[in-house]
Amino acid sequence: MAAFKFRLQFMISLRKRAEEEAAVKLARRLASIMEIEGQITALHLKLAKMADEIGELGRAGKLSGPLLSMYSGYQEKVRKEIKKLLELLALSRREEAKERLALRKAVVDRRVMEKFKDKQHDAWRTERLQEEQNSMEELAALSKARRSLEATDAGNADHREDRREA
């Protein structure tokens, strides 16, 4: 009996590869998002630290106009950088949603092919079992016919012996 062979196995392999590629893209996107979030957090900490420094300098009486201007200029630069990073984060989140959708589609495509393969395998198995059942029934019918023939031959032989004796 020949083993089951799925002719579209290459499609399953292709779809697995597409799924893996989508998963890698999503993982890279998530790593990128985490990095951006880390940068934003670091800049917020930097702003808080500068605010504390300005407060300390103000309490100590060492805060001058030019120094305050320098700090505020740098704070403005940091805030602009945070704004750019937040825009980049929003864009990355939209791309993440698209990549999640692509991954979900790739998973569904692969599962569809695997279910198709399973159904074909079940149909093949059912066909093989039916063929085996038919063979068994044929053998049983042949065996019954042979026994019947042997019984009639034995009856005819007994009948012939009775004639000879008579």
mmCIF file of all heavy atoms in Angstrom, residues 2 8 18 28 34 41 53 72 80 88 90 114 125 149 152 160 164:
data_model
loop_
_atom_site.group_PDB
_atom_site.id
_atom_site.type_symbol
_atom_site.label_atom_id
_atom_site.label_comp_id
_atom_site.label_asym_id
_atom_site.label_seq_id
_atom_site.Cartn_x
_atom_site.Cartn_y
_atom_site.Cartn_z
ATOM 1 N N ALA A 2 0.644 2.148 -0.887
ATOM 2 C CA ALA A 2 1.447 3.362 -1.021
ATOM 3 C C ALA A 2 1.143 4.320 0.132
ATOM 4 O O ALA A 2 0.021 4.407 0.612
ATOM 5 C CB ALA A 2 1.153 4.039 -2.349
ATOM 6 N N LEU A 8 0.605 19.345 -2.359
ATOM 7 C CA LEU A 8 0.780 20.786 -2.128
ATOM 8 C C LEU A 8 1.619 21.076 -0.882
ATOM 9 O O LEU A 8 1.481 22.126 -0.261
ATOM 10 C CB LEU A 8 -0.590 21.458 -2.013
ATOM 11 C CG LEU A 8 -1.463 21.369 -3.258
ATOM 12 C CD1 LEU A 8 -2.830 21.959 -2.990
ATOM 13 C CD2 LEU A 8 -0.803 22.071 -4.421
ATOM 14 N N ALA A 18 6.398 32.425 5.092
ATOM 15 C CA ALA A 18 5.765 33.752 5.126
ATOM 16 C C ALA A 18 5.350 34.105 6.552
ATOM 17 O O ALA A 18 5.511 35.253 6.989
ATOM 18 C CB ALA A 18 4.555 33.788 4.197
ATOM 19 N N ARG A 28 10.813 42.719 15.276
ATOM 20 C CA ARG A 28 11.686 43.881 15.082
ATOM 21 C C ARG A 28 10.935 45.178 15.371
ATOM 22 O O ARG A 28 11.487 46.105 15.975
ATOM 23 C CB ARG A 28 12.231 43.900 13.661
ATOM 24 C CG ARG A 28 13.291 42.871 13.422
ATOM 25 C CD ARG A 28 13.844 42.948 12.019
ATOM 26 N NE ARG A 28 14.815 41.889 11.800
ATOM 27 C CZ ARG A 28 15.052 41.347 10.628
ATOM 28 N NH1 ARG A 28 14.404 41.762 9.558
ATOM 29 N NH2 ARG A 28 15.939 40.384 10.507
ATOM 30 N N MET A 34 9.923 49.497 21.719
ATOM 31 C CA MET A 34 10.480 49.511 23.081
ATOM 32 C C MET A 34 11.670 50.461 23.172
ATOM 33 O O MET A 34 11.834 51.172 24.173
ATOM 34 C CB MET A 34 10.872 48.091 23.498
ATOM 35 C CG MET A 34 9.678 47.210 23.794
ATOM 36 S SD MET A 34 10.082 45.498 24.221
ATOM 37 C CE MET A 34 11.221 45.700 25.569
ATOM 38 N N THR A 41 11.400 57.940 27.710
ATOM 39 C CA THR A 41 11.510 57.907 29.171
ATOM 40 C C THR A 41 12.809 58.572 29.625
ATOM 41 O O THR A 41 12.820 59.350 30.585
ATOM 42 C CB THR A 41 11.443 56.451 29.671
ATOM 43 O OG1 THR A 41 10.215 55.867 29.237
ATOM 44 C CG2 THR A 41 11.525 56.375 31.179
ATOM 45 N N GLU A 53 17.835 70.649 38.923
ATOM 46 C CA GLU A 53 19.070 71.445 38.939
ATOM 47 C C GLU A 53 18.751 72.943 38.964
ATOM 48 O O GLU A 53 19.371 73.712 39.692
ATOM 49 C CB GLU A 53 19.935 71.116 37.711
ATOM 50 C CG GLU A 53 20.613 69.773 37.768
ATOM 51 C CD GLU A 53 21.380 69.452 36.484
ATOM 52 O OE1 GLU A 53 21.483 70.323 35.588
ATOM 53 O OE2 GLU A 53 21.867 68.311 36.382
ATOM 54 N N SER A 72 16.760 76.748 29.530
ATOM 55 C CA SER A 72 15.458 76.732 28.850
ATOM 56 C C SER A 72 15.623 76.397 27.367
ATOM 57 O O SER A 72 14.782 75.711 26.783
ATOM 58 C CB SER A 72 14.714 78.053 29.037
ATOM 59 O OG SER A 72 15.412 79.106 28.428
ATOM 60 N N LYS A 80 11.361 69.156 21.896
ATOM 61 C CA LYS A 80 11.172 68.921 20.457
ATOM 62 C C LYS A 80 11.564 67.489 20.102
ATOM 63 O O LYS A 80 10.890 66.839 19.294
ATOM 64 C CB LYS A 80 12.003 69.913 19.640
ATOM 65 C CG LYS A 80 11.416 71.304 19.594
ATOM 66 C CD LYS A 80 12.268 72.219 18.745
ATOM 67 C CE LYS A 80 11.690 73.637 18.743
ATOM 68 N NZ LYS A 80 12.523 74.556 17.953
ATOM 69 N N LEU A 88 7.079 59.484 15.938
ATOM 70 C CA LEU A 88 7.660 58.238 15.425
ATOM 71 C C LEU A 88 7.032 57.025 16.118
ATOM 72 O O LEU A 88 6.748 56.001 15.471
ATOM 73 C CB LEU A 88 9.178 58.231 15.624
ATOM 74 C CG LEU A 88 9.947 57.042 15.079
ATOM 75 C CD1 LEU A 88 9.747 56.900 13.580
ATOM 76 C CD2 LEU A 88 11.424 57.171 15.416
ATOM 77 N N ALA A 90 3.966 56.882 17.362
ATOM 78 C CA ALA A 90 2.609 56.723 16.824
ATOM 79 C C ALA A 90 2.658 56.031 15.461
ATOM 80 O O ALA A 90 1.855 55.123 15.178
ATOM 81 C CB ALA A 90 1.924 58.081 16.716
ATOM 82 N N GLU A 114 -2.981 23.396 6.067
ATOM 83 C CA GLU A 114 -2.795 22.212 6.894
ATOM 84 C C GLU A 114 -4.115 21.465 7.089
ATOM 85 O O GLU A 114 -4.147 20.234 7.088
ATOM 86 C CB GLU A 114 -2.162 22.580 8.231
ATOM 87 C CG GLU A 114 -0.694 22.923 8.086
ATOM 88 C CD GLU A 114 -0.037 23.341 9.380
ATOM 89 O OE1 GLU A 114 -0.748 23.626 10.372
ATOM 90 O OE2 GLU A 114 1.210 23.407 9.393
ATOM 91 N N ARG A 125 -7.165 7.880 3.741
ATOM 92 C CA ARG A 125 -7.247 6.793 4.718
ATOM 93 C C ARG A 125 -8.592 6.062 4.584
ATOM 94 O O ARG A 125 -8.650 4.831 4.598
ATOM 95 C CB ARG A 125 -7.089 7.324 6.139
ATOM 96 C CG ARG A 125 -7.039 6.205 7.166
ATOM 97 C CD ARG A 125 -6.857 6.698 8.571
ATOM 98 N NE ARG A 125 -5.691 7.530 8.676
ATOM 99 C CZ ARG A 125 -5.612 8.598 9.474
ATOM 100 N NH1 ARG A 125 -6.640 8.957 10.206
ATOM 101 N NH2 ARG A 125 -4.519 9.308 9.535
ATOM 102 N N LEU A 149 -18.181 -25.315 -3.067
ATOM 103 C CA LEU A 149 -17.767 -26.193 -4.156
ATOM 104 C C LEU A 149 -17.193 -27.489 -3.610
ATOM 105 O O LEU A 149 -17.480 -28.579 -4.124
ATOM 106 C CB LEU A 149 -16.747 -25.470 -5.037
ATOM 107 C CG LEU A 149 -16.287 -26.200 -6.285
ATOM 108 C CD1 LEU A 149 -17.470 -26.416 -7.227
ATOM 109 C CD2 LEU A 149 -15.204 -25.425 -6.980
ATOM 110 N N THR A 152 -20.068 -29.648 -2.382
ATOM 111 C CA THR A 152 -20.800 -30.304 -3.475
ATOM 112 C C THR A 152 -19.951 -31.382 -4.115
ATOM 113 O O THR A 152 -20.465 -32.438 -4.490
ATOM 114 C CB THR A 152 -21.257 -29.293 -4.540
ATOM 115 O OG1 THR A 152 -20.141 -28.604 -5.041
ATOM 116 C CG2 THR A 152 -22.295 -28.357 -4.007
ATOM 117 N N ARG A 160 -21.217 -40.982 -6.059
ATOM 118 C CA ARG A 160 -20.582 -41.869 -7.036
ATOM 119 C C ARG A 160 -20.174 -43.183 -6.378
ATOM 120 O O ARG A 160 -20.298 -44.248 -6.967
ATOM 121 C CB ARG A 160 -19.343 -41.212 -7.638
ATOM 122 C CG ARG A 160 -19.697 -40.239 -8.721
ATOM 123 C CD ARG A 160 -18.430 -39.730 -9.413
ATOM 124 N NE ARG A 160 -18.563 -38.291 -9.515
ATOM 125 C CZ ARG A 160 -17.618 -37.400 -9.349
ATOM 126 N NH1 ARG A 160 -16.417 -37.784 -9.043
ATOM 127 N NH2 ARG A 160 -17.848 -36.134 -9.481
ATOM 128 N N ARG A 164 -21.300 -47.017 -7.339
ATOM 129 C CA ARG A 164 -20.351 -48.089 -7.643
ATOM 130 C C ARG A 164 -20.645 -49.331 -6.773
ATOM 131 O O ARG A 164 -20.501 -50.434 -7.190
ATOM 132 C CB ARG A 164 -18.922 -47.647 -7.394
ATOM 133 C CG ARG A 164 -18.417 -46.740 -8.454
ATOM 134 C CD ARG A 164 -16.968 -46.429 -8.195
ATOM 135 N NE ARG A 164 -16.616 -45.211 -8.915
ATOM 136 C CZ ARG A 164 -15.587 -44.492 -8.691
ATOM 137 N NH1 ARG A 164 -14.778 -44.780 -7.716
ATOM 138 N NH2 ARG A 164 -15.339 -43.453 -9.406
#
